[in-house]
């Protein structure tokens, strides 16, 4: 995806995922997207945890105004750009056995997409692109 920033335009600084169990959700996202990160902050028992992925903070917050599972999981998809989506798919299947909503597939010759479900029922989209003219 190309990056364009208009002068003075806002930038997404973070994504907040409200949950009845933010620790479980944080652990899942850490295991998926930052498996090398330690468990720093996991034992503090606080209601808010976060990961910094790329230039964005993903915040996991305890909330009493959400249910255990998302009612409309396709309403908002968080799209994560990854490299080597096939290797990631293999690792996730071996370690987490996630529910794939959309298996990893080519949407054109330069883009591979896959959509999986997080523990709260939210849809998470993985995207692997090549902008250099080589097939994905």
């Amino acid at each position: 995806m190309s990056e364009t920033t208009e002068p003075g335009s806002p930038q997404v600084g973070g994504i907040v995922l409200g949950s009845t169990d933010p620790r479980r959700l944080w652990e899942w996202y850490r295991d998926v997207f930052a498996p090398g990160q330690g468990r720093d902050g996991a034992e503090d028992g606080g209601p808010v945890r976060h990961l910094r992925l790329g230039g964005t903070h993903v915040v996991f917050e305890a909330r009493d105004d959400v249910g255990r599972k998302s009612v409309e999981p396709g309403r908002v998809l968080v799209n994560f750009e990854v490299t080597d989506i096939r290797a990631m798919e293999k690792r996730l299947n071996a370690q987490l056995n996630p529910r794939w909503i959309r298996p990893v597939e080519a949407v054109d010759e330069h883009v591979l997409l896959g959509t999986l479900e997080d523990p709260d029922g939210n849809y998470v989209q993985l995207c692997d692109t090549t902008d250099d003219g080589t097939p994905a």
Side-chain angles (χ1 to χ4, degrees):
M1 297 191 166
S2 64
E3 186 175 325
T4 60
T5 303
E6 296 288 326
S9 67
Q11 295 182 4
V12 175
I15 300 164
V16 178
L17 297 174
S19 178
T20 58
D21 190 347
R23 180 182 178 148
R24 178 194 70 213
L25 200 58
W26 173 82
E27 288 176 347
W28 187 87
Y29 277 81
R30 183 207 57 213
D31 291 348
V32 169
F33 296 109
Q37 284 191 18
R39 300 182 70 84
D40 295 343
E43 306 303 326
D44 65 11
V48 177
R49 290 177 165 65
H50 80 281
L51 291 171
R52 184 167 173 89
L53 301 174
T56 303
H57 291 276
V58 182
V59 179
F60 308 89
E61 179 180 48
R63 299 192 53 106
D64 61 9
D65 61 349
V66 298
R68 185 162 167 77
K69 286 284 189 180
S70 179
V71 178
E72 294 180 312
R75 182 173 290 270
V76 176
L77 274 75
V78 179
N79 184 27
F80 290 93
E81 293 182 15
V82 300
T83 55
D84 199 354
I85 196 171
R86 293 293 184 190
M88 187 174 206
E89 174 187 36
K90 185 177 180 178
R91 178 179 64 81
L92 294 178
N93 286 338
Q95 294 176 353
L96 300 176
N97 193 28
R99 178 174 175 239
W100 289 92
I101 304 305
R102 176 185 189 169
V104 174
E105 61 187 1
V107 294
D108 69 30
E109 67 177 315
H110 301 290
V111 178
L112 294 170
L113 287 179
T115 306
L116 60 155
E117 184 179 61
D118 75 15
D120 280 9
N122 303 305
Y123 291 172
V124 178
Q125 184 167 273
L126 307 178
C127 179
D128 188 354
T129 63
T130 60
D131 294 329
D132 61 2
T134 60

